[in-house]
Amino acid sequence: MDAWLEVLEAAGPAMVQDGGRAGLMHHGVPPGGALVPEWLAAANRSVGNVWSAAALECYGRLELRLHGRDAWVSVDGRASRVEAGGQFSVPAPEAGVVRYVAVEGAFDVPEVLGGQGTLPVARLGGVEGRVLKRGDVLPLGAGGGSREALGMALPLDAEVRVVLGPDLGRFGTDAVEVLLESAFSVSPTSDRVGMRLRGPALPQADEGSGLSGPMVRGALQVPASGEVIVLGPDHPTTGGYPVLAVVIRADWGSLFARRPGAAVRFRAVSVDEAREFWRQHAPVYGAAPNPSS
């Protein structure tokens, strides 16, 4: 191990995350990956890594030390040069719910099932499938890529665009109207599995006849209580609650970056519009990732 990052203190949850594990849902493995992919991309590209390289997803303050060599280090896409042996702090998130810390060369943690990111629900990836703690050591790969600064401010107060369906028949006749005309807020009980929203209950017409089916990130699941749960990167691969709508891929970051208490309003768009919004949005990653990742 020629170079590594040492965790001196972790005052809040932090874990290794990357671009996720696409294509394994048929094995019961959710895609995982960064909660806010745009911010992961900005952090990585600013230190010369590919957008999806392993970095730190931080929910609280961190104290870190770099060992073995000098390297570019980025916090939320703002890069600075850190000398070997240098100690630096990562403040707790302010505008959004997370920060991303990328280091030139990326974290060389073991690849598990095609990814390096932490999947807490399965206790795999990252460092032993868990959040980081004092004394953890993260080996670094070789650096040398081309650095690129990105302006990655996300509209955290913008309407979240959704495609309606697929289970419209399992809801009351005014469920769509309630969804699109009401104000919701992010519940503090939200996590990487799903963002829970506080707001009016959505009326269901379902009598429990729906079969369990495959789930996707961004799906608006609605249990019998009428609460809206937007599935996150660590979502279950199947589920039986009806899905009223799905957040478009281009708006994942804008939604999931929001802190508890933040406002959320929805706007319906067509599938063709969703594809066009993604076409406009994808270049922030450099080589555009698969929309399903």
Side-chain angles (χ1 to χ4, degrees):
M1 185 165 52
D2 296 329
W4 65 97
L5 196 70
E6 178 188 2
V7 179
L8 301 177
E9 182 181 354
M15 68 188 78
V16 176
Q17 281 300 342
D18 63 2
R21 297 174 173 85
L24 294 177
M25 291 222 329
H26 62 297
H27 292 304
V29 180
L35 186 70
V36 186
E38 295 92 336
W39 288 352
L40 173 74
N44 270 319
R45 291 180 64 185
S46 68
V47 295
N49 300 338
V50 298
W51 85 267
S52 57
L56 298 185
E57 182 174 278
C58 311
Y59 295 80
R61 183 176 59 83
L62 283 178
E63 293 289 334
L64 304 167
R65 177 173 287 133
L66 178 67
H67 294 272
R69 61 171 166 84
D70 300 351
W72 287 100
V73 176
S74 166
V75 178
D76 293 347
R78 295 182 292 274
S80 59
R81 194 72 175 170
V82 177
E83 295 182 349
Q87 180 176 334
F88 62 97
S89 300
V90 180
E94 297 175 356
V97 71
V98 294
R99 289 188 188 275
Y100 289 88
V101 179
V103 181
E104 178 185 3
F107 297 115
D108 191 19
V109 297
E111 184 175 296
V112 182
L113 296 177
Q116 295 174 293
T118 310
L119 189 59
V121 294
R123 297 183 182 179
L124 60 82
V127 177
E128 301 174 349
R130 58 170 171 78
V131 298
L132 299 178
K133 62 183 181 181
R134 179 185 299 179
D136 280 339
V137 170
L138 299 162
L140 297 173
S146 177
R147 297 172 52 237
E148 183 178 2
L150 296 177
M152 281 310 305
L154 289 173
L156 303 186
D157 56 355
E159 289 182 316
V160 176
R161 295 165 291 191
V162 298
V163 174
L164 297 176
D167 298 324
L168 297 180
R170 295 176 65 184
F171 289 89
T173 55
D174 57 346
V176 170
E177 180 180 352
V178 173
L179 177 71
L180 299 180
E181 295 186 2
S182 300
F184 298 86
S185 64
V186 179
S187 168
T189 60
S190 301
D191 57 23
R192 286 178 47 87
V193 175
M195 173 182 279
R196 294 178 178 269
L197 299 181
R198 291 176 170 172
L202 299 185
Q204 288 192 29
D206 182 46
E207 297 180 354
S209 59
L211 299 177
S212 180
M215 291 292 111
V216 295
R217 180 171 178 173
L220 273 66
Q221 272 196 327
V222 184
S225 65
E227 178 188 32
V228 177
I229 304 172
V230 188
L231 297 186
D234 296 350
H235 65 80
T237 55
T238 61
Y241 295 136
V243 174
L244 183 59
V246 180
V247 175
I248 71 171
R249 176 64 181 82
D251 283 2
W252 283 1
S254 174
L255 174 62
F256 285 99
R258 300 182 196 199
R259 300 171 65 88
V264 178
R265 299 190 72 99
F266 295 101
R267 176 166 68 90
V269 299
S270 68
V271 172
D272 286 342
E273 288 175 312
R275 288 171 176 160
E276 175 59 21
F277 291 136
W278 173 246
R279 187 190 68 79
Q280 298 171 8
H281 189 76
V284 303
Y285 300 94
N290 187 317
S292 64
S293 64

